[in-house]
Amino acid sequence: MDSSTPPQAAAPPGARPAPPPPLLGEPLPVELMNTVWADREGVYDALLDAGDLARWLRSVDTRFSPPLDLGGPEAAEASVPAPDRPSVERFRELRDALRRLAAVATRDTRPTAASPVPDLAAAVGAVNRACAYAPTWSRLAWNEDEPPARADGSSYGPEARALSRIAEETVQLFTGPDAAGLRACHAPGCVRYFVRAHPRREWCSAGCGNRARVARHYRRHHPGGAGA
């Protein structure tokens, strides 16, 4: 195991069905990491079944270039076939691998945020498998009275293409300039990650920043207490 890998824990305790996780405008690999998220009630896993995956993919559809054409977040669930169970498992495997990579990169030791992927090598292997899972190629799209455009050619469905695209963006994230800005959010109870685009940013969201400030205020005024 890599020496920077934090201690292991099982899948987040108390993980249970939840509404789609808040989208924070992060790179797609980070948004996928954050399908494990938490609130005051505990930790949630937002990719438990095919319906969860379909909702999440529709919520980020327009973030893909070109889009996957899944209908967007407002589409009726019946309008697009739900992903099958193997697709859900592949996305969960990639998600858990991303969380392991993020934990290694940020030296994250939050117990409730730990990934079930055992080590760095296993996480890298999962990402590489996902990169190769649904190869695509460029295709020229050019109709009368419209400018030429690039489209994706693939023999795979939209969920498989999404999996491979997120894995490709993962390689770019961890090998590119955003890698230095990847952070674990250490607000009370949070299990999310974010890319620090501004030097003064400390938290994944304004809500987490507020909770952290409340906790600091409590500790200052109740030094012997358990905190907020």
Side-chain angles (χ1 to χ4, degrees):
M1 184 181 297
D2 184 89
S3 60
S4 61
T5 303
Q8 284 302 302
R16 57 197 190 281
L23 296 176
L24 303 177
E26 300 292 340
L28 277 171
V30 180
E31 298 284 19
L32 182 57
M33 293 176 202
N34 290 341
T35 57
V36 172
W37 63 288
D39 61 16
R40 290 183 178 274
E41 302 301 319
V43 180
Y44 299 92
D45 184 340
L47 291 182
L48 289 177
D49 57 32
D52 289 342
L53 177 57
R55 283 187 290 273
W56 185 79
L57 285 172
R58 284 196 292 272
S59 74
V60 298
D61 185 13
T62 57
R63 302 272 301 276
F64 292 93
S65 180
L68 297 171
D69 297 325
L70 290 168
E74 71 286 348
E77 291 194 15
S79 66
V80 180
D84 57 19
R85 187 66 203 178
S87 293
V88 178
E89 295 302 329
R90 281 189 284 268
F91 270 89
R92 287 171 58 86
E93 179 186 47
L94 179 59
R95 187 269 311 277
D96 294 342
L98 296 183
R99 291 185 67 83
R100 166 57 58 214
L101 296 177
V104 172
T106 63
R107 299 183 181 275
D108 182 15
T109 58
R110 299 171 298 175
T112 57
S115 168
V117 174
D119 54 35
L120 180 62
V124 169
V127 170
N128 289 341
R129 285 193 299 276
C131 285
Y133 179 69
T136 60
W137 53 87
S138 294
R139 185 170 59 83
L140 180 64
W142 196 350
N143 300 314
E144 292 287 345
D145 302 321
E146 293 181 5
R150 178 194 170 277
D152 270 356
S154 178
S155 58
Y156 290 83
E159 294 88 8
R161 297 199 310 273
L163 182 82
S164 285
R165 286 197 206 171
I166 294 173
E168 290 283 353
E169 289 192 26
T170 297
V171 177
Q172 298 170 24
L173 171 66
F174 285 100
T175 62
D178 282 347
L182 186 64
R183 296 286 188 276
C185 182
H186 289 284
C190 190
V191 297
R192 291 189 294 225
Y193 295 93
F194 66 97
V195 174
R196 188 184 188 189
H198 189 282
R200 297 185 64 183
R201 184 181 180 188
E202 295 183 65
W203 321 108
C204 71
S205 66
C208 275
N210 290 337
R211 284 195 297 276
R213 284 187 286 273
V214 168
R216 281 200 299 261
H217 177 82
Y218 185 92
R219 287 194 297 269
R220 283 197 300 269
H221 292 84
H222 304 82

